Amino acid sequence: MAAVPPKTKWCTVCMRAVPLGKGGLANFTQNHEKSGEHTRKLADQARTGLKPNALTNFFAPRPRPSAQSTSSAPVPSPSSAGSHPPPQDTPMPASTPSIAEEDAASPMDVDSGDSSSAAESEPLFLATLRTAVATLPQGVPMASSEDVLAVFAADPATRMVPDGDAWEDFIHGDFQRLLWGESGPRETIELSTLMRRGSLGLDGLVKYIKKCITHLSVPAAVFEPRIERVISALELLGSSTSAVPPSPQRTFVDLTQINSPPMPPKALTGCPGQALPLERGENAFTAYPIGLHAKKKLPWTPEFHDGLSVRADNCLRSAQASGVCAPCRRLLGNGLIKGILERNHFGTRPSTPYAFLTPAQSSALLDKKNAIIDGLRLSGLNMGRKLLTRMRHLEGHKRMLLAVSQNNIPRLQSIVRNCLKRGDSIFAITEKIGNAIRGTFHDRSYSKIAYQQAYVLLQLGGAAALELGHRCLGLPSLDATKRHIVPKPLCASPRFPQLEEMRQNLAVCYPNSPNPGPDSNISPIGPGFQLCIDEIKIQEMMRWNPVTDMIHGICREHGAPYGSRLIITS
Ligand SMILES: [Zn+2]
Ligand SMILES: [Zn+2]
Ligand SMILES: [Zn+2]
């Protein structure tokens, strides 16, 4: 087909290039679109629901000086698809232009003179919508004139009234009827039931928006939120907004896709299963007690993909359903599922059966048990060592008892007392006792009583007796006794005791008391002494006490028969 000369615009209704003349685009909208030929063909189209040759137009590539598409579909390289369109009878290059791109740069609705700028300025949401429409599954029915979408098939420019506002006049109302039901905005599911293919359906909608933006100068931003809802409805039906599978209508063979068959459109539109909430940082694989299925017959199956979900055995996997189906949702009320979630959140009890534990909980339990076992092993080891030490000490005590019972150990008490004072162990005491038995150790720390005993032995039996005591009883030797005890004999008074004798005897008896001498400045009275004396007789004569009128000086033994009272007889 020959290239459309510049300064013309392709009319999609009349299927011919309309010369624009000097009036430009306004000439087209104001003169041609109101012409009898155009309105008649538009009415025919609305009646039949089909454009005259929409399908065959597909294979009519137009020269595009710099064809660009904002869609993410593969684009032919500018050198091959730009100034030199491929001939009709040769196969297309490996990367074929997508339907979306064909539509975007189609000569049906875009002025070829400024097609590149129009394609470049196409908003992203419109390109996404094109892709979604192009990838719509074949199961979606074709549109008829009764459908809600059919209103978009008509050219909006023909409905434009002079000096009117296109948005307020009809565009807003058209979208309102599509997106709003009787009771408010339509849900995505409800909207997806209204989606139809064909020129009376979504294809018409794409062109409608395109025309509104390019010809009627309606801001693209007002369409965006509305079109996004349509796109989500299309996604629900299985459309893809990113990848464009090859269209079955194409006759070209894509050599790169012969070996790898095209992926089917997104089919996961059925029930995704009831998702179970995971705790923070928890892994889905370790958060489900998979072993429970071995113990019990459970009416669901766990699924581990992005998260953790359960699918009921009677799940309605229908592709028409959207969201979680009722049987799957009811699983959240199941006691076992509730228990799993509770244990994930609050932890397990010690009595929880092992089958109910998730792998993470089982690992935690094993860690805890390992810690307990390690502690018990350690305390057992310590206890063994402690008992061994105690046993050795008991052995030492037995040895000491044996040594004491079989030998006469001189000064045993002194040896043990001194050892205990030093904090010696039973082994050191036993060794010392052994040395004492062998005679290689002598305890020299005698007490004062031992010296006194030795002195008494010396006085009574002489040096020989003391030597015997020293050898057999462990008493101090003769020299040690003499060094420690210096005898100071009392001075006997042959007559009435003199002061000097008394003073000397007192000094002997109380060696540490201050002894005031004649030239002493200590008080003559001095610190007093207490003497415990039963009877003391200073002179052997009787005396009369005039106060009691009695005679004293006779001992009780001899004076008793006479009485003590003086009886004067004259
Ligand atoms: Zn389900
Ligand atoms: Zn007497
Ligand atoms: Zn007498």
Side-chain angles (χ1 to χ4, degrees), residues 535 555-558:
E535 280 180 13
C555 74
R556 296 178 199 279
E557 293 165 12
H558 301 100

Side-chain angles (χ1 to χ4, degrees), residues 361-372:
Q361 289 159 354
S362 301
S363 302
L365 184 67
L366 286 178
D367 283 346
K368 203 189 279 181
K369 285 192 186 304
N370 277 351
I372 292 175

Side-chain angles (χ1 to χ4, degrees), residues 271-274 310-312 314-317 323-329:
C271 167
Q274 175 59 52
V310 285
R311 185 185 291 282
N314 52 352
C315 167
L316 312 172
R317 292 171 193 253
V324 183
C325 71
C328 289
R329 213 178 306 125

